[in-house]
Structure formats: C-alpha cells, structure tokens
Amino acid sequence: MEQNRDCADNECTKESCEGCEQNRKSMMEALNQYSSVKHVIGVASGKGGVGKSFVTAMLAVLLNRKGYKVGILDADITGPSIPKMFGISKRAEINELGFIPERTAGGIKLMSINLLLEQEDMPVIWRGPILAGTVKQFWTDVVWEDLDYLLIDMPPGTGDVPLTVFQSIPLDGIVIVSSPQDLVSMIVRKAYNMAKQMDIPVLGLVENMSSVKCPDCGKEINLFGESKLPAISREIGVDILGRLPIDPKLAELVDKGEFERFSSEYLADAVEKIEKL
C-alpha cells in the first residue's frame, strides 16, 4: 500500500493513503447516538469452520456472568449462527430510534441478520458492498444503549467484510481462533498479518477442537494431530488464551439453544486478558 512521506508528520493530504492514522480515523463510522460502548473486541480467523461464533458466544457469557453489560454484533452476514445458539428466533424490533437488539435469557444483547429475515433459513445472497454496508448499520443504527463490551463475530477470511469492520469500527483488539491442523497455522498468520497491517492489536489466540476425551478411559485424544499453536504463538509473539476441546455437552447446549447454561471455564484466561483493557 502506497503511503505519503508526510504521514509520519500527520500532514498527509493524499486521500487514497489508507495506511496513515489520519485517514484511518476518518473512515470510522459514528456509533448509534443512543448508545455507549466502552470496549469493542473482534473474534476473527483467516478461514471458516474453526468456531469463531462458538468462542464469541462463550466469551460473551463469561463476561456477562462477571456482571458486565455485554452485546454481540454478528458480522457473519451470510452464515449467522449466534441467535440459534441462544435460542432466539424472534424478529428484532425497529422503531424511530433504530434497530432494537434482542436479549438472551441472561441479558446479553444480540443483533444478527437472522433477526431481521422473514424466515431464519432464508439465504442472504448479497454482494460484498451490501454485506459491508449491513455490518456498518449494525454499528450505526442499532440501539445498543450502554455496554461494557461489544463482541463482534467476524466472517471468515480477509475480504470485504472483515476489512470493513477493521476500518469502520474502533476495535480495541481481536482474538484469533484456530484449530490444530497444520493448514490452519498458515491461516492464523494471515489473520495476524492483516490485523498488524491495519494496526489492530491481537489480544491472543484460542484453539478450538484441540482434543476429545474418551468417555470410557478419560484419555485425551488429539484427533487432528499435535497442536501447532505453541510454535505459532512463539513465532508471532502472541499469547495462547485458551484451548477448547470437542465437548458433546457443549454441542448439545448449542443445538438446544441453551448455550448460556454451560459450566466450563475454558476461556477464563481470555476473559482476564479482555478485562485488562
């Protein structure tokens, strides 16, 4: 990306220079006027299917249990799963103030495209600019009111929508989700490098599907082989904040829409890191 030599002196006048702090700030969208959000955390990955929604939901529940006011912005417009995890199928209300997020049984506020569709199984067949615009609206037009933490469930990859989130919403940092396969180690680096180029702090790494426990003998089995995450963590200098095993009890709660009932503390370190913001 070309950058004007005057960027370092904060005198950049080149409108196309997205690499400098001055123009990056100018691209930020204003939060809904009836809302106040103290911290915004993105949950990201360089690919799909690693469990970003799962990690987002678990972090939200754990923060909520500690007494914080928490919301989830579901930015995965074409693959929304957050409402289903919490058993919410009611359509969100819209009034003269904006979109009104739904609440989980525990009081977590949610906004997802599935809360605006006529039917939850309707496909969202939109091009990139419309997807990106919808994510912006979830920031500018949703009445979040007062939140301590807004967690953003990011779409996979490093394309239009993740770029829109990075450029348009003031993130305090992101958590990168991975799984043990060797392929994913490359994907983690992609997500990390994108965040680094966009000047977004990486709070840490979370490994999902790290192992499964034998129901008979209790032995931990690495279904996908030995984890590559410790090596990646050392290489890029980012902490590992948690490892989530394949837990049938958690999967059952997701299917029932009762995710808030889980009792594990797998992501306690991640919550502690977020609190230190």
Side-chain angles (χ1 to χ4, degrees):
M1 179 180 295
E2 185 181 359
Q3 186 170 355
N4 191 352
R5 69 181 62 183
D6 293 328
C7 285
D9 300 322
N10 293 321
E11 297 177 355
C12 179
T13 58
K14 187 175 180 180
E15 294 182 0
S16 62
C17 182
E18 297 176 1
C20 71
E21 186 67 18
Q22 180 177 336
N23 277 324
R24 184 180 297 112
K25 288 181 179 179
S26 71
M27 297 178 71
M28 291 291 172
E29 296 287 338
L31 177 64
N32 174 271
Q33 62 178 318
Y34 304 105
S35 304
S36 173
V37 178
K38 293 180 180 177
H39 299 289
V40 184
I41 309 297
V43 180
S45 179
K47 71 181 295 295
V50 297
K52 291 182 300 299
S53 298
F54 193 85
V55 170
T56 302
M58 183 169 283
L59 288 173
V61 173
L62 292 174
L63 287 166
N64 183 59
R65 287 177 182 174
K66 300 192 81 168
Y68 296 111
K69 297 176 182 178
V70 183
I72 299 177
L73 189 162
D74 189 355
D76 194 355
I77 305 298
T78 58
S81 55
I82 291 291
K84 177 70 174 178
M85 297 179 69
F86 290 97
I88 296 177
S89 57
K90 179 184 175 183
R91 293 188 68 197
E93 296 181 8
I94 305 174
N95 60 27
E96 66 277 4
L97 302 181
F99 298 99
I100 308 302
E102 286 298 313
R103 291 177 182 262
T104 69
I108 299 171
K109 295 181 179 181
L110 304 181
M111 179 49 66
S112 170
I113 193 65
N114 259 21
L115 302 180
L116 301 174
L117 300 176
E118 291 288 344
Q119 297 177 328
E120 65 176 13
D121 59 355
M122 288 180 62
V124 178
I125 309 173
W126 296 344
R127 295 191 183 276
I130 300 178
L131 297 174
T134 301
V135 171
K136 287 182 182 180
Q137 280 191 284
F138 284 174
W139 174 253
T140 61
D141 296 353
V142 172
V143 184
W144 293 106
E145 299 182 302
D146 294 328
L147 293 180
D148 295 306
Y149 295 100
L150 178 65
L151 301 177
I152 301 182
D153 183 14
M154 304 274 284
T158 55
D160 282 354
V161 179
L163 182 61
T164 295
V165 173
F166 282 4
Q167 291 182 327
S168 304
I169 300 177
L171 292 168
D172 291 285
I174 64 167
V175 173
I176 297 178
V177 183
S178 173
S179 59
Q181 302 98 314
D182 187 45
L183 168 65
V184 178
S185 64
M186 178 188 68
I187 303 301
V188 168
R189 292 186 186 92
K190 285 182 179 290
Y192 170 79
N193 288 330
M194 179 180 183
K196 187 176 180 180
Q197 289 183 32
M198 301 297 297
D199 200 26
I200 305 295
V202 177
L203 303 180
L205 310 175
V206 170
E207 184 174 78
N208 192 26
M209 299 177 285
S210 61
S211 64
V212 64
K213 181 179 289 187
C214 175
D216 296 322
C217 68
K219 179 181 178 181
E220 295 283 342
I221 302 171
N222 297 323
L223 286 179
F224 300 107
E226 184 178 353
S227 173
K228 309 298 187 298
L229 203 62
I232 301 171
S233 172
R234 291 190 298 270
E235 178 185 328
I236 64 178
V238 175
D239 294 335
I240 297 174
L241 300 180
R243 286 176 168 166
L244 298 171
I246 298 173
D247 189 337
K249 293 181 180 179
L250 290 175
E252 183 179 354
L253 290 174
V254 168
D255 290 341
K256 290 181 177 180
E258 300 174 354
F259 190 69
E260 284 175 293
R261 293 179 51 201
F262 75 81
S263 58
S264 62
E265 294 288 334
Y266 295 126
L267 295 182
D269 289 346
V271 170
E272 183 178 347
K273 183 67 174 285
I274 290 172
E275 286 184 293
K276 290 180 179 178
L277 292 172

